[in-house]
Amino acid sequence: MAPFDDHSPDPTEQIQRLLKEAQVWAYQEPQRALQQVQQAFGLLSPHDDLELQLQVREWLVNCLAIVGDNQEGLRQAWELLALSAEADHQHMQATANQQIATMLSTSGQYEQSLPYFQAARVLSKEASPGQYATSTLNLADGLEKLGRLVDARQTYQSVLELPPVTEEVEVVQAYALLSLVGLQVLEFEVGTLDVAGLQEGPASLQQVIEQARKGRDRFLELYAQALLTRVWVHVGNAVQSTPAFEAAWEIAAELDQPRAWACAFEARAYLLCLQEDHTQAIECFEQAIRHLEAVSSHGELLQLLNSFVRYLKFWKKFEKAFEVLWKLHSLDQVVRTEGVLLQAQLVTLQTQIELARKENELHLQHVRELQHLQAQLQDQNQLLEKLSREDELTGVFNRRHAVHLLRELGKGAGCVLLLFDVDHFKRINDGYGHSRGDLVLRGIASIVRGFLKAGDVFGRLGGEEFVVALEGSCLQTAEKLAQNICDAVSKATWEDMPDTQVTLSIGVAVFQEGTLETALHTADEALYEAKALGRNRVVVRPSARWNGTSNSLH
């Protein structure tokens, strides 16, 4: 009888082989890579080496994040964090915090991601220069997405100041340089930076492209070429923008992934903008949106929609802009709902850890950490709720929420709209500085609030333009109220501006039938008539269909 020959492979060797294959396929065929890691995870036993268990869990989270399954990815990452904390494995704790933060950010939960990025940064500072650089970069990205641009710029700059001790650090620094140029482009698009501020952008992006080619990072090169297209478009250089776009498109075709195509289509939209082909440009933006929707990338989708809105407003495509703003509002609702689900996941995980480790001396520590994290998430969700509704400067409703409330009023008995802006506001900013201009806007908001009742809507549409919706008021009452507001503002005195009279021009119109856009357009026409008649006055555009009260026009 021949001797017994057991050809079954060693489980540890199988796991290592599956992990190596997964690393090869992670970005080319993410689903295939995920299946291989799941096989490796299934082969693990509680007796396996701790390093191997942590390595498999790390790659499981990576692959779940790549395919866009953030819900399961976050669950696995929280378990990895608990396991690595129990083992006092500092490097893996930093990795788990980094993974959790990245997935939260990708889901649009920017406030919730910051503590994890900060934790990863602290844990990796001494142990891993590359991980420390990456954590710092991602922290800066989170700050940027929250609108804290000064903090974001300083944090990106701190990445560039790190010693380039490894190739990984150099690549991260290239991403930081890319992001700094992206900040300049954003400031240009919102009107806080003139075109001269973009002049150094192409040279910086060429550095990024060279580093991307050196590190064979095709996504980095794609992002740089796409942003370079955008910069050349903004400076009006059609000759340079075309080859940059063509390079971006070629890389996207090579990668053939939704995020890559979204980036390329957005670049194409800006190129078409330079050619004034707005129909095709809008279609390209919508193609980019569809690609990001395919991978449920809420964070990137929020950024893209904001970029789309800026484009539409600049080219005065207001009807389409309102449509995209509504999409932004709906996505914001989804993001906040997901935040609630994440809280529920935390509670579930807390229970699992309590049951699994009730005999462990670290049990109470884990419970306290999870409770603290839950409290942080609740506080941050409350802050997000407030930020999603209020204008930060004046405390009135922001544009998105005000538009939502106006549409709701329009579905009922209707309302009267007061659309107004500050006369010669640019002179105030130019003569006294933007801080005084902000003071004036806050003061006007305070004055107007004093004239409103419960149920009225008061929102800032942007800049010095505001809207008030008076629920259940007749046109005559609305006109009288508008005149009182006009008079009160014109008589107000302003700190450090004793000789300056601030005035308003107000347009009044009815919103009962038809679209909100039509009603706002009518009010806007009335506002501009008030301007033409000399400012500091109220102009009413009546509607024969308005049946608000006994004093209404018929």
Side-chain angles (χ1 to χ4, degrees):
M1 178 183 292
F4 176 72
D5 185 12
D6 185 2
H7 292 290
S8 60
D10 176 69
T12 301
E13 292 179 0
Q14 271 189 288
I15 290 170
Q16 294 288 7
R17 177 181 57 79
L18 287 166
L19 288 182
K20 287 181 181 177
E21 291 177 5
Q23 292 175 32
V24 170
W25 294 108
Y27 291 99
Q28 297 175 354
E29 295 186 27
Q31 286 291 349
R32 177 175 175 178
L34 176 59
Q35 290 170 3
Q36 290 168 324
V37 176
Q38 287 171 330
Q39 287 181 45
F41 187 77
L43 292 171
L44 280 177
S45 78
H47 306 294
D48 282 326
D49 177 67
L50 178 62
E51 286 288 342
L52 181 63
Q53 292 188 50
L54 294 174
Q55 185 183 12
V56 173
R57 286 180 178 276
E58 176 189 2
W59 265 96
L60 177 59
V61 175
N62 284 341
C63 290
L64 287 167
I66 292 169
V67 301
D69 190 352
N70 285 341
Q71 186 171 355
E72 179 62 14
L74 282 166
R75 190 181 74 81
Q76 292 290 347
W78 276 318
E79 291 189 3
L80 175 60
L81 179 59
L83 183 61
S84 57
E86 181 180 339
D88 197 24
H89 197 297
Q90 189 166 324
H91 173 73
M92 195 56 70
Q93 286 183 67
T95 299
N97 274 290
Q98 178 80 17
Q99 290 173 324
I100 292 170
T102 301
M103 284 184 284
L104 286 171
S105 180
T106 302
S107 302
Q109 309 293 330
Y110 303 129
E111 279 284 351
Q112 290 95 324
S113 72
L114 291 186
Y116 291 101
F117 280 135
Q118 289 165 337
R121 191 172 182 232
V122 171
L123 288 163
S124 62
K125 186 171 184 179
E126 302 297 334
S128 173
Q131 194 173 42
Y132 176 73
T134 301
S135 300
T136 307
L137 175 73
N138 288 329
L139 176 61
D141 183 62
L143 292 167
E144 178 184 346
K145 288 170 181 172
L146 284 169
R148 295 166 57 180
L149 301 187
V150 174
D151 292 337
R153 183 179 289 103
Q154 291 174 348
T155 310
Y156 282 132
Q157 193 62 44
S158 72
V159 175
L160 297 180
E161 292 167 1
L162 295 173
V165 291
T166 66
E167 184 175 326
E168 182 183 1
V169 173
E170 290 180 346
V171 171
V172 173
Q173 289 176 323
Y175 273 101
L177 184 56
L178 174 78
S179 299
L180 282 170
V181 178
L183 272 180
Q184 292 175 336
V185 170
L186 174 62
E187 289 171 334
F188 173 78
E189 290 177 354
V190 299
T192 59
L193 183 74
D194 60 27
V195 72
L198 299 177
Q199 295 305 317
E200 295 180 6
S204 296
L205 291 173
Q206 284 299 335
Q207 292 180 40
V208 175
I209 291 167
E210 289 170 11
Q211 181 60 52
R213 289 170 178 170
K214 178 183 174 183
R216 298 181 180 179
D217 190 328
R218 297 296 278 164
F219 265 105
L220 175 57
E221 185 178 356
L222 168 63
Y223 296 146
Q225 295 284 11
L227 187 57
L228 184 58
T229 304
R230 202 155 155 184
V231 171
W232 285 129
V233 166
H234 287 327
V235 301
N237 192 325
V239 174
Q240 297 285 0
S241 60
T242 300
F245 161 71
E246 289 172 350
W249 192 266
E250 180 180 344
I251 298 169
E254 174 190 327
L255 294 170
D256 196 23
Q257 293 185 30
R259 286 185 175 88
W261 280 119
C263 182
F265 272 106
E266 186 182 13
R268 189 181 182 198
Y270 279 96
L271 187 66
L272 290 165
C273 160
L274 186 61
Q275 300 166 1
E276 297 193 15
D277 188 348
H278 300 300
T279 300
Q280 286 298 314
I282 289 172
E283 173 59 26
C284 284
F285 270 116
E286 290 174 338
Q287 284 272 25
I289 290 167
R290 285 192 285 271
H291 280 293
L292 289 183
E293 288 175 335
V295 290
S296 301
S297 182
H298 293 332
E300 292 169 277
L301 189 54
L302 284 168
Q303 286 184 291
L304 178 60
L305 289 171
N306 275 301
S307 178
F308 193 10
V309 169
R310 290 195 299 272
Y311 163 86
L312 292 168
K313 288 170 65 179
F314 181 82
W315 290 102
K316 303 189 187 312
K317 308 290 183 180
F318 296 120
E319 186 172 350
K320 186 67 178 178
F322 273 116
E323 177 185 327
V324 179
L325 281 167
W326 179 249
K327 194 179 189 76
L328 259 173
H329 169 74
S330 301
L331 182 59
D332 181 69
Q333 294 291 105
V334 170
V335 168
R336 285 191 281 117
T337 301
E338 287 183 351
V340 174
L341 293 175
L342 291 176
Q343 285 184 325
Q345 282 188 358
L346 267 177
V347 175
T348 302
L349 182 60
Q350 184 180 11
T351 304
Q352 291 173 346
I353 292 174
E354 182 178 356
L355 292 173
R357 296 174 172 81
K358 60 183 177 180
E359 299 293 335
N360 194 301
E361 63 180 1
L362 296 176
H363 162 65
L364 292 177
Q365 178 184 344
H366 288 319
V367 172
R368 284 194 298 270
E369 288 173 353
L370 285 169
Q371 288 174 338
H372 175 67
L373 180 58
Q374 187 177 30
Q376 270 190 320
L377 283 171
Q378 288 172 344
D379 291 343
Q380 290 162 354
N381 276 338
Q382 289 174 1
L383 178 61
L384 278 176
E385 176 72 20
K386 181 179 179 182
L387 291 174
S388 70
R389 293 173 178 269
E390 288 187 7
D391 173 59
E392 185 177 2
L393 176 64
T394 61
V396 303
F397 292 130
N398 61 28
R399 182 188 189 103
R400 183 171 64 232
H401 192 61
V403 167
H404 167 67
L405 294 176
L406 293 180
R407 290 189 192 282
E408 292 300 311
L409 285 177
K411 293 175 184 176
C415 59
V416 181
L417 300 179
L418 276 59
L419 189 67
F420 65 88
D421 70 9
V422 185
D423 296 328
H424 300 302
F425 185 65
K426 187 175 184 301
R427 294 181 185 175
I428 297 172
N429 277 337
D430 292 346
Y432 296 98
H434 288 274
S435 62
R436 290 291 170 229
D438 291 347
L439 179 69
V440 167
L441 293 180
R442 286 194 293 268
I444 289 172
S446 178
I447 291 170
V448 174
R449 280 196 199 94
F451 288 93
L452 304 183
K453 63 182 186 300
D456 294 337
V457 175
F458 183 19
R460 183 184 179 194
L461 297 181
E464 70 272 23
E465 188 173 29
F466 296 82
V467 65
V468 169
L470 304 175
E471 185 180 24
S473 292
C474 69
L475 207 54
Q476 291 93 332
T477 301
E479 181 180 9
K480 182 178 179 181
L481 177 68
Q483 189 59 58
N484 289 340
I485 290 173
C486 206
D487 293 342
V489 171
S490 69
K491 294 173 183 176
T493 57
W494 307 93
E495 184 180 347
D496 294 335
M497 297 189 300
D499 299 324
T500 300
Q501 183 189 34
V502 177
T503 62
L504 304 180
S505 294
I506 305 179
V508 182
V510 169
F511 176 35
Q512 183 183 31
E513 296 182 353
T515 67
L516 173 61
E517 290 76 14
T518 300
L520 285 171
H521 180 71
T522 302
D524 195 46
E525 287 180 336
L527 187 155
Y528 275 94
E529 184 178 340
K531 297 278 189 188
L533 292 171
R535 297 180 171 81
N536 190 22
R537 67 190 64 237
V538 177
V539 170
V540 178
R541 286 290 173 91
S543 168
R545 294 180 177 271
W546 176 241
N547 299 311
T549 71
S550 59
N551 294 325
S552 302
L553 293 178
H554 296 286

